């Protein structure tokens, strides 16, 4: 994280968002959108996933998108990979950060990436070994999916999440993020689980990937802030809305998250007006798709002062 900011907002819309909408965003629009987000001050963007183009045709152009994104000065470019084969492609393309999703719920792991826990743990170790050998400058994060509950398994015991975080830290990843993949988390649980994970793996404890499926997204952000979390994933326009909850976004909305943080006096380095302006690209490139965000709809409060200007007064 840059020392100039208090909180890193990691934009996941081009990956998490676009892979859950039916329509594939044209490559030129993806590039335009990523450039606009970076120009608004986003310092880290997950620009796509390296996965089977048969399974996710929306992500078929990810290598080209990475090429574009790494040409933007100062931007940290992340890509998601499910296994060693695709990690190799992400590393060759020049991603600065690779994210590996690991489900704490084994039934979710099997249904999502067709791997049992021993299989995915072996895969993570192989990816770390490849990185160590040939790409030492690249960072590897694991995102612990279903860390707070699972639509298949139901309750995910907190001890299971803590154990998987320890396993990942021992496997050599740089950071372990906790993901509320299905929007089950509540603020008390968020505080408890981040505290427990940090007690075991210390500064390998990563960021929070929270969803707003049940309206708890920003409450969960505040809870995570209270226990020292400094990185949050979010998606512009909350794209990738949850099919089970009409009118509710999936990922927390970047615009609303940035407003929350900035109005609390936490500098994100993001120009919220430029960020809101970048929505136009989404509206043009994804006609008919639901685009969420309360702050963009209501407008900034009269007299709103971003955190970096507050610090100067
Ligand atoms: Zn998500």
């Amino acid at each position: 994280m840059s020392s100039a900011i208090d909180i890193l907002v990691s934009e996941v819309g081009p990956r998490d968002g676009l892979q859950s909408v039916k329509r594939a965003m044209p490559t030129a629009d993806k590039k335009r959108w990523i450039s606009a987000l970076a120009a608004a001050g986003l310092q880290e963007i997950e620009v796509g996933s390296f996965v089977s183009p048969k399974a996710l045709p929306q992500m078929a152009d990810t290598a080209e998108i990475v090429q574009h994104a790494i040409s933007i000065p100062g931007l940290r470019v992340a890509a998601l990979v499910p296994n060693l084969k695709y990690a190799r492609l992400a590393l060759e393309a020049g991603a600065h950060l690779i994210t590996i999703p690991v489900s704490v719920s084994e039934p979710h792991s099997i249904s999502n990436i067709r791997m049992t826990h021993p299989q995915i743990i072996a895969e993570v170790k192989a990816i770390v070994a490849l990185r160590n050998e040939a790409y030492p400058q690249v960072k590897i994060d694991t995102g612990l999916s279903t860390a707070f509950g699972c639509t298949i398994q139901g309750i995910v015991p907190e001890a299971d999440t803590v154990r998987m975080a320890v396993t990942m830290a021992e496997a050599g990843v740089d950071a372990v993020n906790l993901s509320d993949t299905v929007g089950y988390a509540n603020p008390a649980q968020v505080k408890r689980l981040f505290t427990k994970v940090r007690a075991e793996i210390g500064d390998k404890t990563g960021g929070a990937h929270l969803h707003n499926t049940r309206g708890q997204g920003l409450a969960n952000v505040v809870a995570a802030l209270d226990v020292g979390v400094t990185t949050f994933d979010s998606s512009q326009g909350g794209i990738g809305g949850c099919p089970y909850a009409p009118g509710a976004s999936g990922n927390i909305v970047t615009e609303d998250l940035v407003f929350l943080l900035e109005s609390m006096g936490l500098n994100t380095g993001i120009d919220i007006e430029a960020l809101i302006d970048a929505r136009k690209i989404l509206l043009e490139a994804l006609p008919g798709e639901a685009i969420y965000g309360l702050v963009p709809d209501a407008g900034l409060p009269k007299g709103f002062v971003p955190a970096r200007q507050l610090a100067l007064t």
Side-chain angles (χ1 to χ4, degrees):
M1 195 199 318
S2 155
S3 58
I5 61 171
D6 300 310
I7 301 293
L8 178 67
V9 173
S10 181
E11 170 66 41
V12 299
R15 195 281 301 169
D16 193 332
L18 291 186
Q19 77 178 32
S20 13
V21 299
K22 286 155 277 161
R23 175 191 296 266
M25 187 188 275
T27 305
D29 290 324
K30 285 190 189 180
K31 291 181 183 176
R32 212 154 56 91
W33 184 32
I34 289 164
S35 294
L37 291 169
L42 266 302
Q43 298 185 5
E44 181 175 294
I45 304 179
E46 192 169 71
V47 300
S49 50
F50 286 86
V51 285
S52 155
K54 270 191 210 136
L56 285 173
Q58 305 95 311
M59 295 287 122
D61 57 2
T62 297
E64 187 180 340
I65 297 298
V66 169
Q67 288 298 321
H68 168 75
I70 60 177
S71 75
I72 300 171
L75 180 65
R76 194 179 195 209
V77 178
L80 182 138
V81 301
N83 58 33
L84 178 63
K85 174 183 159 190
Y86 288 108
R88 187 168 275 123
L89 296 181
L91 291 164
E92 283 168 2
H96 303 134
L97 166 68
I98 59 178
T99 309
I100 314 165
V102 174
S103 292
V104 180
S105 154
E106 196 164 35
H108 182 266
S109 182
I110 291 165
S111 108
N112 196 34
I113 54 171
R114 293 192 198 86
M115 277 194 264
T116 62
H117 278 162
Q119 286 171 321
I120 184 67
I121 292 163
E123 211 69 30
V124 170
K125 288 179 178 169
I127 295 169
V128 169
L130 172 64
R131 183 278 305 268
N132 292 350
E133 193 189 303
Y135 303 91
Q137 74 286 3
V138 174
K139 296 276 173 279
I140 300 177
D141 286 5
T142 44
L144 296 192
S145 320
T146 65
F148 300 92
C150 172
T151 44
I152 303 169
Q153 177 180 317
I155 291 168
V156 172
E158 291 181 0
D160 289 4
T161 299
V162 174
R163 197 179 312 113
M164 187 58 89
V166 170
T167 301
M168 288 298 124
E170 287 172 355
V173 306
D174 298 296
V176 180
N177 307 323
L178 301 185
S179 300
D180 184 22
T181 316
V182 294
Y184 279 11
N186 66 71
Q189 185 189 20
V190 167
K191 277 192 188 183
R192 219 165 41 234
L193 206 46
F194 269 101
T195 302
K196 286 182 179 176
V197 167
R198 195 180 301 283
E200 295 294 328
I201 66 168
D203 60 12
K204 285 199 172 189
T205 309
H209 180 105
L210 301 165
H211 278 209
N212 199 39
T213 321
R214 290 174 180 76
Q216 310 307 304
L218 293 186
N220 289 335
V221 168
V222 175
L225 285 170
D226 276 351
V227 292
V229 174
T230 56
T231 300
F232 292 91
D233 291 356
S234 60
S235 160
Q236 174 149 61
I239 58 163
C242 179
Y244 309 106
S249 74
N251 292 294
I252 55 171
V253 176
T254 306
E255 298 87 320
D256 293 347
L257 172 66
V258 170
F259 175 71
L260 171 77
L261 296 169
E262 292 284 335
S263 60
M264 289 174 78
L266 296 166
N267 185 9
T268 62
I270 297 165
D271 176 340
I272 194 163
E273 290 177 46
L275 175 68
I276 290 171
D277 222 40
R279 290 164 68 89
K280 287 184 194 136
I281 299 170
L282 267 189
L283 292 166
E284 285 164 19
L286 294 175
E289 204 60 53
I291 311 287
Y292 305 97
L294 296 169
V295 173
D297 284 349
L300 290 170
K302 193 172 181 181
F304 171 73
V305 182
R308 64 188 175 283
Q309 286 173 16
L310 274 178
L312 299 174
T313 55

